[in-house]
Amino acid sequence: MIQKADRLNDVKEYYFSKKLREVAALRNEGKPIINIAIGSPDLAPSNTVIKAIQNAVTLPDAHQYQSYQGIPELRSGIANFYKDNYNVSLNPATEILPLMGSKEGIMHISMAFLNKGDKVLIPNPGYPTYASVTNLVEAEPVLYNLNEATNWLPNFEELEQQDLSKVKIMWINYPHMPTGAVASKEDFKQLITFAKKHQILIVNDNPYSFILNEKPLSILEIEGAKEIAIELNSLSKTFNMAGWRVGMVVGDAEIIKTILKVKSNMDSGMFFGIQKGAVEAFKLSNDWFKAQNEIYKKRRALVWQIFDALDCTYNKNIGGLFVWAKLPKGIKSEDITDDLLYNKNVFITPGTIFGSNGEGYLRASLCVSEEVLSEVLNRIITVKI
């Protein structure tokens, strides 16, 4: 038998990849499982976006290989979006690299900058892919603690007590997934100061800034940030285009050029029609965000009721596409999620999949209709845990 690569020894299959197979099996047995775990937007993109891709597929050159750097119109659209919404000036030719989703960008960045044995600061709790990709490139994940007491922001006193000499990259993610915590400009300034002191590349993964968040921020708004920070962004959540796989990494031209060396060897360019659709998405006005957020507010109110029924507590002053809730003391996350799945036919996310600091928490998605959320609430109230 052909042996797997050693780099997979510390890498597990993504939680949702494995768990969704189990959910599918239960549904095949006739179980009426409701999934409120996944952050895959159920709402449609704008009609103008749909029409743009439909029109694009009839053009003569639409089905050929495309530029590794995306069409100029897309890069200009990203630059305008950043200028209008974040007050960040980007050179479309050198400081923007369109990606087939920001998740793929995590791999591109890691391969571009990490050597075997380099260390990477990863939030706990945080997006599991940061640690998985770090392991895949044979670097060393170093978890840094986030907790409710510090509003899920880095504790710099604690970080400074560590040996940071081999740390190459620090992953941050604000608005934060899974907790919804939001960083301020002052928080970003602290991060930039810390990164410059220790010569650590900061990567802000920023796909949630327009979801239930009144003040969208980019870390690149901070003076001097381009010297030490880059940012991933995505159309998945903001414009309901998750399956389209279109995002971007933006920042200093030399850093972007380095990432391109990896990307250009991993794909052959993004489909032309998707790029044209993305161009139209970036032209949408603030009315688009307002309309989306009105829907999410109504859904969030129902999720709050669900967590009330489970005797959980939560912060109403956070944003993002999820609600992060604290269980009553002594109840373990996976115990209650398994009980909900097997006895109430409700699939919800245990906080533990995001790290040890997620123990005692649950995460529910807002990517579910009000009708479905009402049914979840009814199931929980009818047979209360």
Side-chain angles (χ1 to χ4, degrees):
M1 178 179 282
I2 298 174
Q3 297 297 311
K4 67 181 181 182
D6 291 343
R7 69 175 61 87
L8 292 177
N9 291 339
D10 296 319
V11 177
K12 298 179 181 178
E13 183 182 3
Y14 190 48
Y15 171 82
F16 286 119
S17 172
K18 180 173 62 176
K19 200 68 176 179
L20 286 175
R21 282 202 304 273
E22 183 180 349
V23 169
L26 290 169
R27 283 175 170 163
N28 287 336
E29 293 172 7
K31 301 284 186 181
I33 306 296
I34 293 177
N35 180 352
I36 62 168
I38 307 295
S40 178
D42 62 314
L43 301 172
S46 164
N47 285 334
T48 60
V49 172
I50 300 295
K51 287 178 182 177
I53 190 172
Q54 289 173 333
N55 293 335
V57 298
T58 64
L59 297 176
D61 300 332
H63 308 288
Q64 297 179 345
Y65 289 127
Q66 299 298 316
S67 165
Y68 299 106
Q69 295 173 276
I71 60 176
E73 190 180 359
L74 175 56
R75 295 198 304 274
S76 294
I78 294 169
N80 292 335
F81 182 79
Y82 260 77
K83 185 63 178 176
D84 294 343
N85 292 284
Y86 302 120
N87 196 30
V88 171
S89 295
L90 296 168
N91 184 326
T94 60
E95 295 184 322
I96 295 170
L97 181 60
L99 303 171
M100 293 182 186
S102 58
K103 184 176 183 179
E104 288 79 350
I106 297 169
M107 175 62 82
H108 297 332
I109 292 165
S110 298
M111 291 187 72
F113 293 103
L114 295 174
N115 294 313
K116 184 176 182 178
D118 285 340
K119 294 184 177 182
V120 181
L121 288 172
I122 293 170
N124 177 16
Y127 186 34
T129 298
Y130 304 144
S132 298
V133 169
T134 299
N135 284 322
L136 278 170
V137 300
E138 300 182 279
E140 181 182 340
V142 178
L143 300 180
Y144 65 91
N145 290 314
L146 303 179
N147 56 59
E148 199 168 355
T150 59
N151 191 32
W152 309 100
L153 292 161
N155 183 328
F156 291 101
E157 289 185 13
E158 191 175 275
L159 281 169
E160 290 286 2
Q161 292 173 11
Q162 301 183 41
D163 178 7
L164 302 170
S165 59
K166 291 186 178 180
V167 173
K168 197 85 166 282
I169 289 176
M170 180 178 186
W171 289 97
I172 65 169
N173 165 222
Y174 293 101
H176 185 245
M177 198 289 294
T179 70
V182 176
S184 66
K185 285 188 177 182
E186 286 302 315
D187 296 323
F188 280 151
K189 285 178 183 177
Q190 276 190 282
L191 279 159
I192 295 302
T193 300
F194 170 79
K196 286 183 176 180
K197 177 181 176 181
H198 297 285
Q199 286 299 291
I200 297 170
L201 176 65
I202 296 282
V203 187
N204 185 38
D205 191 9
N206 191 22
Y208 298 100
S209 60
F210 291 89
I211 309 296
L212 297 174
N213 179 31
E214 294 182 2
K215 297 180 180 179
L217 288 177
S218 164
I219 197 170
L220 298 182
E221 292 181 53
I222 306 307
E223 185 177 354
K226 279 188 188 178
E227 300 168 21
I228 203 73
I230 57 176
E231 186 162 271
L232 285 167
N233 216 321
S234 169
L235 282 74
S236 294
K237 276 69 176 181
T238 306
F239 298 108
N240 302 329
M241 295 164 65
W244 294 49
R245 307 313 303 138
V246 53
M248 77 244 25
V249 58
V250 299
D252 173 75
E254 284 302 313
I255 295 177
I256 297 300
K257 186 178 179 181
T258 302
I259 299 168
L260 178 60
K261 288 183 180 180
V262 174
K263 182 186 183 299
S264 62
N265 284 288
M266 293 183 71
D267 66 60
S268 297
M270 189 188 306
F271 174 54
F272 180 74
I274 287 177
Q275 295 189 66
K276 294 293 282 187
V279 168
E280 290 305 311
F282 285 125
K283 294 177 182 178
L284 292 172
S285 71
N286 284 334
D287 290 342
W288 166 262
F289 304 118
K290 289 177 182 177
Q292 300 299 296
N293 284 326
E294 285 303 313
I295 295 169
Y296 287 134
K297 283 177 184 177
K298 293 175 183 177
R299 294 178 176 187
R300 185 175 61 180
L302 280 166
V303 173
W304 287 343
Q305 290 183 55
I306 290 168
F307 282 134
D308 287 339
L310 293 171
D311 298 321
C312 293
T313 56
Y314 45 85
N315 184 352
K316 289 188 174 183
N317 298 313
I318 57 177
L321 205 55
F322 307 97
V323 176
W324 179 251
K326 189 174 184 178
L327 288 160
K329 189 174 181 180
I331 298 180
K332 292 188 175 296
S333 300
E334 293 188 31
D335 288 346
I336 198 164
T337 55
D338 282 347
D339 184 68
L340 286 167
L341 179 59
Y342 303 129
N343 298 317
K344 316 298 184 297
N345 296 315
V346 173
F347 176 37
I348 195 168
T349 308
T352 46
I353 76 163
F354 305 107
S356 59
N357 288 348
E359 179 58 90
Y361 292 87
L362 301 176
R363 191 199 74 172
S365 169
L366 302 182
C367 300
V368 188
S369 71
E370 291 177 60
E371 291 76 15
V372 172
L373 290 171
S374 295
E375 172 59 21
V376 170
L377 180 60
N378 182 61
R379 290 183 186 185
I380 292 171
I381 290 174
T382 303
V383 189
K384 185 130 182 327
I385 292 174

